[in-house]
Amino acid sequence: MQSQSSNISIAFFFAFMALTLAITYWAAKRTKTTETFFAAGGEITAWQNGWALAGDFLSAAALLGIAGIVTSNGFDGMVYSIGWLVGWPIILFLIVEPLRNVGKFTFADVVAYRLSQKPVRSAAAIGTLAVISFYLIAQMVATGALIKLLFGIPYSWSVIIVGTAMLIYVLFGGMLATTWVQVVKAALLMAGGAFLCILVLAQFQMNPVRLFAAAAERYGANVLQPGSRVVSGQWDAISLGLGLMFGTAAMPHILMRVYTVKDVKAARLSILYATGLIGAFHLMVFVIGFGAMVIVGPQAVLKAGGGGNMAAPLLAQAVGGNAFFGFICAVAFATMLAVVAGLTLSGVATLCHDLWTNVIRAGKATESEQLKVARVATIIIAVVAVVLGILFEGQNVAFMAGLAFSVACAANFPSLVLAISWKRFTTQGAVASILVGTVGSIVLICLSPTIQVDVLGKSLADIAGAWWFVPLKNPAIVAMPLSFAVAIAVSVATPEMDADRTFREMQRRILMGPSDPARAGAGSREEG
């Protein structure tokens, strides 16, 4: 693939790097407080935040992973697009107002508001870091494969380059730099995706139906029908859908964006803008995936390596030549880099705000101390991301991202919903729910074909009858109800008068906002 790299490709790559580093330099001069580092000082407008949300959410899984799955499996690949898209109304109507009025930087601010701070924030940190780890793997794997394709350098060095760039963005520019990098990336992604669709459809008289007909003629009518090529059966399909839908409403780096605007109205508007942009892009991915199936061919895509993730760049080269190939690679690189930066910032907020400031220092850490801890945490997460990216080389990014959403919907979503809606929810119930959701979903993944067959290489026929074998590739249909059930059972068994007493006050704050904005996210229960 090195021969396919061109000077134009490399020029696009370095132009993007120069632009984003300039943004980081500009943002670094304005990032002096934790409020700016984690939430851009709440000064991002709704329109800007909508684009940044779209940039945060439209990851390598959307551009590379789903396009690759559609190329290999046809219509079945759209389960990812539909599942992710329908999660946004849940955020809009259920999550955004409590988050914005009760929290400060993380979703744990809301869950711990009327509960005991230390155990709840510690458990929430475990769930958040597990989700971020799975999602980081997906982004790093795709980025490494792309840089390898573009420059012809070894995969491990590609991952290290990405990790270094991400470290610079977050370490110096915080949320402000991350936001504008995501806005630029989202604009490039929408423009690149639209132009790629136009070039593809131009070969089919600008008629998508002719494209789908060509795919059916070449690979059979079943590529246009729902089947079992992506999921193993109906229960696995439902489980994947649940994970994508409710996991979207519980992804830490998405929820964190609610705090970057000035009020609830701006947060709602930004969610609305993001939903429109994301929906439009997923329609483009459908055309890109089928375009790659017909014009490039599934075998050529698989032969390029990267678990089928190179469908979109190869299609760009086929229909637009080396220049457009270079542009799409630069866009894909920007896509992954921006998402990795957002994920890293979310992990840093968890380590610094939840664990260090509120658990270890009991809310008494100074601004300068928190900034120092945040920057050390950024370096730690960057190193972990690089190591995980190298270890999981070759995995399909949409599939890995799907697992991250499954863990999120079991670990974070039940506790978040119960914290804002159920008076009898207790500290022990929250801790048990988060830990059972996190550990349970990871254990189910380890016992499923995902690990046993795809990673360890065991024969499905040999392990299908084993007592411990879990046939579902996605654990959400088991793990999320289990997390809800544990939360309710433990809360009923361990009543907590302080949590009951502050429920009404929390409801008032969800509707009216904090009476003292400076204390947002501090929690109503003071603990030493």
Side-chain angles (χ1 to χ4, degrees):
M1 284 295 160
Q2 189 172 7
S3 61
Q4 295 175 341
S5 301
S6 67
N7 292 333
I8 297 175
S9 307
I10 296 171
F12 278 127
F13 174 83
F14 282 107
F16 174 77
M17 290 298 296
L19 176 60
T20 51
L21 288 176
I23 290 172
T24 303
Y25 176 75
W26 166 79
K29 293 190 293 185
R30 292 161 174 77
T31 304
K32 306 296 182 186
T33 66
T34 53
E35 186 73 20
T36 309
F37 188 88
F38 291 125
E43 296 177 351
I44 304 298
T45 67
W47 181 245
Q48 293 164 352
N49 200 43
W51 277 88
L53 271 166
D56 232 339
F57 193 74
L58 291 173
S59 66
L63 177 62
L64 303 182
I66 297 177
I69 290 179
V70 172
T71 300
S72 300
N73 304 284
F75 186 85
D76 277 10
M78 292 307 293
V79 66
Y80 285 94
S81 294
I82 296 168
W84 275 323
L85 189 60
V86 297
W88 285 89
I90 298 174
I91 301 177
L92 181 63
F93 295 113
L94 182 63
I95 303 295
V96 66
E97 195 160 341
L99 273 180
R100 192 61 184 80
N101 282 339
V102 176
K104 184 176 183 181
F105 295 141
T106 67
F107 91 97
D109 291 334
V110 179
V111 179
Y113 181 78
R114 60 190 179 90
L115 307 177
S116 183
Q117 298 285 308
K118 290 183 179 179
V120 173
R121 287 187 184 275
S122 299
I126 293 172
T128 298
L129 293 175
V131 172
I132 290 173
S133 297
F134 271 102
Y135 211 37
L136 268 176
I137 291 171
Q139 308 307 316
M140 297 300 284
V141 166
T143 314
L146 183 68
I147 298 299
K148 178 183 175 182
L149 179 71
L150 183 59
F151 292 104
I153 61 177
Y155 172 83
S156 56
W157 280 106
S158 304
V159 174
I160 291 171
I161 291 172
V162 175
T164 304
M166 170 265 288
L167 178 64
I168 294 172
Y169 295 154
V170 179
L171 192 64
F172 297 105
M175 178 59 88
L176 196 55
T178 303
T179 295
W180 281 105
V181 168
Q182 285 162 342
V183 169
V184 171
K185 161 257 176 129
L188 289 172
L189 187 63
M190 296 298 291
F195 192 56
L196 182 54
C197 286
I198 291 171
L199 290 180
V200 169
L201 292 177
Q203 300 192 16
F204 299 91
Q205 301 178 346
M206 302 307 291
N207 187 347
V209 175
R210 290 182 179 272
L211 168 64
F212 302 145
E217 181 180 353
R218 191 167 304 180
Y219 299 102
N222 60 352
V223 299
L224 302 179
Q225 299 170 358
S228 58
R229 292 178 294 277
V230 174
V231 293
S232 58
Q234 58 184 348
W235 289 110
D236 207 20
I238 295 172
S239 187
L240 175 61
L242 287 173
L244 299 177
M245 183 167 59
F246 293 106
T248 297
M251 291 299 285
H253 69 302
I254 297 298
L255 301 182
M256 192 176 178
R257 288 227 139 266
V258 168
Y259 303 118
T260 62
V261 292
K262 66 178 181 179
D263 53 29
V264 171
K265 180 182 178 182
R268 286 187 186 280
L269 279 174
S270 60
I271 299 291
L272 199 60
Y273 295 144
T275 305
L277 292 169
I278 292 166
F281 184 77
H282 278 294
L283 289 177
M284 297 182 202
V285 169
F286 202 34
V287 174
I288 293 170
F290 273 100
M293 177 188 288
V294 175
I295 297 171
V296 181
Q299 293 304 318
V301 171
L302 290 174
K303 190 178 178 182
N309 297 321
M310 294 300 107
L314 292 175
L315 177 64
Q317 188 174 46
V319 298
N322 275 350
F324 193 49
F325 167 77
F327 177 73
I328 289 296
C329 284
V331 169
F333 175 77
T335 295
M336 292 174 275
L337 197 55
V339 175
V340 168
L343 286 168
T344 301
L345 194 59
S346 176
V348 170
T350 298
L351 291 174
C352 177
H353 176 64
D354 290 333
L355 284 185
W356 182 264
T357 303
N358 286 290
V359 174
I360 297 174
R361 298 283 284 141
K364 297 174 182 175
T366 64
E367 283 280 328
S368 62
E369 178 184 338
Q370 291 181 54
L371 280 175
K372 288 178 183 175
V373 172
R375 286 177 169 135
V376 170
T378 304
I379 297 172
I380 293 172
I381 291 178
V383 172
V384 171
V386 169
V387 172
L388 291 176
I390 293 173
L391 289 176
F392 283 82
E393 179 184 2
Q395 294 295 314
N396 182 278
V397 293
F399 179 67
M400 292 299 296
L403 295 182
F405 280 73
S406 293
V407 176
C409 85
N412 299 341
F413 187 74
S415 62
L416 183 57
V417 169
L418 292 174
I420 61 179
S421 63
W422 190 36
K423 182 180 179 180
R424 297 180 64 184
F425 194 46
T426 67
T427 298
Q428 288 84 355
V431 172
S433 171
I434 294 170
L435 295 182
V436 168
T438 304
V439 176
S441 55
I442 293 175
V443 168
L444 289 171
I445 291 170
C446 290
L447 299 180
S448 73
T450 303
I451 297 297
Q452 298 298 321
V453 177
D454 298 340
V455 176
L456 300 181
K458 296 180 180 178
S459 167
L460 182 60
D462 292 340
I463 61 174
W467 63 269
W468 49 264
F469 180 67
V470 177
L472 295 172
K473 285 188 172 182
N474 298 278
I477 196 171
V478 176
M480 187 172 71
L482 178 63
S483 181
F484 268 113
V486 167
I488 294 170
V490 174
S491 294
V492 170
T494 59
E496 189 172 345
M497 291 188 63
D498 285 342
D500 285 358
R501 179 176 54 79
T502 51
F503 181 74
R504 187 180 295 277
E505 192 272 333
M506 183 183 186
Q507 290 295 305
R508 185 207 64 77
R509 182 161 166 162
I510 288 173
L511 294 175
M512 307 297 292
S515 54
D516 178 8
R519 281 182 49 75
S524 71
R525 288 175 56 169
E526 302 292 342
E527 299 173 16

